[in-house]
Amino acid sequence: MSNEGVFDPRQQEAQSQGLDLSAVRTPARNAGAGAQAGAPAGAQQQAQPAQDPNTVNVPALVFDVDEQSFEAVVQLSTQVPVVIDLWAEWCGPCKQLSPVIEKVTRDYDGRVVLAKIDVDKNPRIQQAFGVQSIPTVVALVKGQPVPLFQGATPEPQVKQLFDQLLAAAAQAGVNKRAVTGEATQQPAGPKHPEAIEALEAGDLERAAQVYQDALNETPGDEEAKSGLARVELLRRTRGKDLAQVRARAAADPSDVDAALECADLDISGGHVEDAFARLIATLTKVAGDDKERVRKRILELFEAVGPSDPRVTQARGKLMRALF
């Protein structure tokens, strides 16, 4: 697949210059009228702060947007990255991409939201983004456009680009999680008490199965993702000696297995920054399958520590720079 149009954070500032999004923003005095006049359900109100300072309430994670309601999307992008799918009813590739990108958005469970824009009905938005072919997918971070990709794109690549977007957004301080009204009504406490019971009993296999079953049913279950990542970390570090592993890693800096084991043990021991620094440094020295192994382990450890942890946010920025 061609790389044309694929997100490159180093090009963000250059590519966003000259793109005047103000042309499609609704003036503030008209924003309320637009909402009452039938703006799309997902964007008909400004996102409201949630009780949790790390979240923002939204009507939906996937919603339609038009020229009247576009200003709400711009404002929302100051708190959570907004992916924009520019499509049309007659477009075959758009129909192939839509279910993929909607699924991926929901899988990220509020770390991004998806705004869908019919270019035939909203020509000013199409013109503002300079869209010449569809589907085109871009993002907004703090109101600034970030190019992602064009054309029907397979799910694994969409996820990889979303990861890169999240890293760039975190660097810009845009790292809240969007929650819907239904999400805010969920009772407090662990969602998977049976997994906690299994962990307390030392049954890692049972705990892992509980979390995996939950993810099979609801891929966007953030608690299950983090729980499974922590269980897998416990599995990998069980019976390992940190001093021995560190000695192996020091003796041979090219030993990827030793670097991975050492990072796992550092995370388990609370040395989070050391673990991420080690793996990101290793990432810059390897290639091919080894590079992919290290990248995946870093993402797994992000989940184990917690996506909202400031140490993870900082490491995401460093990972982005290492990858590009």
Side-chain angles (χ1 to χ4, degrees):
M1 177 177 175
S2 169
N3 288 330
E4 182 179 359
V6 174
F7 167 59
D8 184 341
R10 296 169 299 182
Q11 298 175 359
Q12 176 180 349
E13 182 177 354
Q15 295 194 19
S16 64
Q17 291 175 352
L19 178 55
D20 184 11
L21 293 180
S22 63
V24 294
R25 295 183 184 179
T26 304
R29 63 179 180 274
N30 292 334
Q36 296 171 5
Q44 58 184 270
Q45 63 185 37
Q46 295 280 351
Q48 299 296 322
Q51 290 184 347
D52 183 345
N54 295 316
T55 64
V56 57
N57 287 340
V58 296
L61 298 181
V62 178
F63 48 84
D64 294 325
V65 174
D66 60 16
E67 291 171 3
Q68 271 191 319
S69 57
F70 187 76
E71 176 65 22
V73 172
V74 176
Q75 295 301 320
L76 180 58
S77 75
T78 64
Q79 301 178 80
V80 61
V82 179
V83 175
I84 297 178
D85 177 15
L86 296 139
W87 67 284
E89 186 64 39
W90 50 264
C91 170
C94 296
K95 294 179 180 179
Q96 296 177 28
L97 177 64
S98 285
V100 173
I101 196 169
E102 289 175 17
K103 175 184 179 297
V104 172
T105 297
R106 292 189 173 97
D107 285 351
Y108 276 74
D109 196 27
R111 292 164 66 194
V112 298
V113 297
L114 175 64
K116 298 176 66 65
I117 298 176
D118 185 333
V119 296
D120 286 345
K121 296 178 180 178
N122 301 279
R124 288 199 298 160
I125 295 180
Q126 177 182 6
Q127 183 178 11
F129 280 107
V131 175
Q132 297 181 347
S133 65
I134 54 173
T136 288
V137 179
V138 298
L140 287 179
V141 175
K142 285 191 172 179
Q144 293 299 311
V146 179
L148 291 178
F149 59 89
Q150 293 180 328
T153 303
E155 182 176 333
Q157 188 170 351
V158 173
K159 288 183 175 180
Q160 185 176 19
L161 291 166
F162 272 38
D163 285 338
Q164 295 169 19
L165 170 65
L166 286 169
Q171 269 197 306
V174 180
N175 55 9
K176 290 189 176 182
R177 187 170 72 88
V179 296
T180 63
E182 293 80 3
T184 61
Q185 295 170 7
Q186 292 178 351
K191 292 171 61 178
H192 309 290
E194 61 273 33
I196 303 300
E197 292 175 4
L199 285 171
E200 291 174 348
D203 190 347
L204 299 184
E205 285 67 28
R206 173 60 181 158
Q209 189 61 56
V210 171
Y211 285 130
Q212 187 60 63
D213 290 345
L215 286 172
N216 291 340
E217 183 176 346
T218 309
D221 187 335
E222 201 67 36
E223 185 175 313
K225 285 181 185 178
S226 293
L228 182 59
R230 288 191 292 269
V231 171
E232 294 300 338
L233 177 62
L234 289 170
R235 281 174 156 180
R236 292 194 301 267
T237 56
R238 188 163 45 186
K240 296 288 179 66
D241 183 275
L242 177 58
Q244 292 180 0
V245 173
R246 278 185 172 169
R248 280 176 50 210
D252 184 3
S254 66
D255 187 339
V256 174
D257 288 330
L260 295 175
E261 290 181 20
C262 195
D264 281 346
L265 289 164
D266 277 340
I267 292 286
S268 296
H271 305 290
V272 175
E273 294 93 340
D274 291 344
F276 290 151
R278 178 185 296 276
L279 290 186
I280 291 172
T282 302
L283 188 77
T284 64
K285 301 172 184 175
V286 295
D289 291 341
D290 283 340
K291 193 179 191 75
E292 182 62 11
R293 287 175 61 206
V294 175
R295 185 189 72 84
K296 286 184 175 179
R297 180 62 56 83
I298 294 173
L299 296 180
E300 290 170 6
L301 293 178
F302 283 172
E303 289 291 347
V305 174
S308 63
D309 190 292
R311 295 167 297 184
V312 171
T313 301
Q314 184 179 37
R316 281 190 188 278
K318 293 179 181 179
L319 173 61
M320 181 189 68
R321 291 191 291 273
L323 288 171
F324 293 95

